[in-house]
Amino acid sequence: MKDSTGLDGCGYILELEDGTRLEPINLATFDFQPKDGQKLRVTYEVVANSGSICMVGELVEITCITER
């Protein structure tokens, strides 16, 4: 988990071990308090034909999220 709230239109993003960045569109639907640098296990689906203001990664819909 990476705090990108300092960038225009961004919030928390997911940064994978290979450096890939993902922008979750439904993080608020989980009973979960994100923290910068937090290690997580996440499953997700890519959201096709969408864009974001943040534009740092691919938009995804989280299906499951747990702490590691």
Side-chain angles (χ1 to χ4, degrees):
M1 188 103 291
K2 183 171 176 157
D3 184 356
S4 294
T5 55
L7 300 174
D8 285 344
C10 294
Y12 280 90
I13 62 169
L14 300 169
E15 188 170 74
L16 306 181
E17 290 178 353
D18 68 0
T20 301
R21 293 180 178 174
L22 305 172
E23 293 182 54
I25 62 168
N26 65 330
L27 191 58
T29 62
F30 292 89
D31 184 23
F32 171 76
Q33 186 64 25
K35 297 175 193 91
D36 191 41
Q38 189 173 28
K39 303 289 185 188
L40 304 167
R41 283 195 173 95
V42 178
T43 57
Y44 60 89
E45 295 179 9
V46 174
V47 178
N49 301 322
S50 291
S52 79
I53 296 170
C54 184
M55 297 186 299
V56 298
E58 195 165 32
L59 291 179
V60 297
E61 185 171 354
I62 298 172
T63 56
C64 182
I65 189 167
T66 58
E67 288 192 69
R68 279 205 291 179

